[in-house]
Amino acid sequence: MAHSAAACFLPLLFTALFLLSSCRFGSGIPTRYDGFYYSGGGGDWKDVIVVDAFLDPLCPDSRDAWPPLKQVVRLYSPRLAVIVHPFPLPYHNNAFLACRALHIANKLNASSTFPLLELFFKYQERYYNGPTKSMSRSAIIDDMAKLANGAVGNFSEFLLGFEDWKTDMAARTSFKYGCTRGVAGAPFFFVNGFLLPDAGSALDLETWISIIGPLVKNQREQWLCRYGPSI
Ligand SMILES: *[C@@H]1O[C@H](CO)[C@@H](O)[C@H](O)[C@H]1NC(C)=O
Ligand SMILES: *[C@@H]1O[C@H](CO)[C@@H](O)[C@H](O)[C@H]1NC(C)=O
């Protein structure tokens, strides 16, 4: 009978899938570098300044850090590459869901990732611990899907994303990556791999310029030494 054959094969199938997945994640190393690429780069990666930004979509300091970061990108583009890593702080009860929502958006429509992040920043009070304390998890997910609808484009597909273990895994990977870098708050910024001081608070545009400006200038001088002024 097809039925009993399936009953025999299913455990085997699951074992195979389990082995497959445990092989893939056995080393704990994801197949791609974590995070959402915001801008910059192109050309030789050694000639760009790389900013890794660890942001919690439900954290007020991360929200306040975002506009100056965008401004500094505009100022130094394309010399500055910005990669955003969603990092859910455990004391923001809905932050992991919000980070997962970003991974879902990124999967469905990559160009909706940052519009959704900005929607979270704009309406983050809705998802604070107080206003959601008597809401069920599925009601919160539903609300996030409604919020995302404007940016991502397909409500039902977005909801299904919360059933997809891969989006859960992606959000975990982001979190774990932050842990391996010693991230203990948000926002945390790394420039060319080095942690900036004042981690956990928003940086204003002047501070960014004081950090990035000299690096760009030094890079330019090194470039001139190597290739001469004709470029
Ligand atoms: C993808 O997201 C962008 C940005 O929010 C939006 O303009 C576009 O319509 C979306 N594409 C689809 C197919 O929904
Ligand atoms: C939304 O996604 C579902 C599932 O993939 C698909 O069947 C449906 O046609 C999509 N709707 C729109 C408006 O794109």
Side-chain angles (χ1 to χ4, degrees):
M1 291 282 288
H3 235 84
S4 54
C8 290
F9 273 108
L10 271 181
L12 276 178
L13 187 68
F14 282 126
T15 312
L17 279 178
F18 174 77
L19 284 176
L20 211 66
S21 63
S22 59
C23 289
R24 269 177 56 202
F25 294 101
S27 62
I29 301 174
T31 48
R32 301 176 63 191
Y33 187 66
D34 178 68
F36 307 126
Y37 178 79
Y38 180 66
S39 91
D44 190 345
W45 69 271
K46 282 187 181 166
D47 288 326
V48 297
I49 292 151
V50 180
V51 174
D52 284 291
F54 290 84
L55 305 177
D56 177 344
L58 303 187
C59 153
D61 291 315
S62 295
R63 174 193 64 199
D64 297 344
W66 182 241
L69 185 59
K70 280 171 71 176
Q71 278 175 293
V72 81
V73 163
R74 246 175 274 137
L75 207 55
Y76 293 107
S77 181
R79 310 293 302 279
L80 194 66
V82 173
I83 299 157
V84 171
H85 307 269
F87 190 77
L89 295 170
Y91 37 88
H92 295 156
N93 294 345
N94 304 309
F96 188 80
L97 286 180
C99 290
R100 193 170 172 186
L102 290 176
H103 279 287
I104 294 169
N106 189 252
K107 197 173 168 212
L108 292 178
N109 173 1
S111 50
S112 72
T113 316
F114 288 101
L116 180 58
L117 178 65
E118 289 179 354
L119 281 174
F120 272 125
F121 284 152
K122 190 167 173 194
Y123 296 106
Q124 64 176 207
E125 279 95 349
R126 266 160 65 172
Y127 303 107
Y128 285 175
N129 298 354
T132 55
K133 72 171 188 284
S134 52
M135 279 172 83
S136 69
R137 183 186 141 89
S138 61
I140 293 164
I141 288 179
D142 228 59
D143 201 81
M144 285 184 178
K146 283 189 194 117
L147 181 79
N149 200 27
V152 184
N154 189 327
F155 177 81
S156 52
E157 224 175 8
F158 188 85
L159 265 185
L160 279 176
F162 280 99
E163 317 268 314
D164 180 357
W165 64 271
K166 285 192 205 118
T167 67
D168 180 63
M169 206 50 89
R172 290 185 197 200
T173 298
S174 292
F175 169 73
K176 288 180 185 179
Y177 180 58
C179 293
T180 65
R181 303 292 301 269
V183 175
F188 264 46
F189 297 108
F190 295 79
V191 175
N192 287 345
F194 281 74
L195 179 63
L196 293 186
D198 294 326
S201 31
L203 301 180
D204 60 20
L205 182 62
E206 287 70 43
T207 311
W208 273 118
I209 290 173
S210 73
I211 295 162
I212 304 297
L215 297 177
V216 169
K217 190 166 163 275
N218 287 349
Q219 267 194 355
R220 172 129 193 94
E221 276 159 14
Q222 282 167 15
W223 176 273
L224 287 176
C225 283
R226 252 188 289 162
Y227 302 109
S230 59
I231 304 198

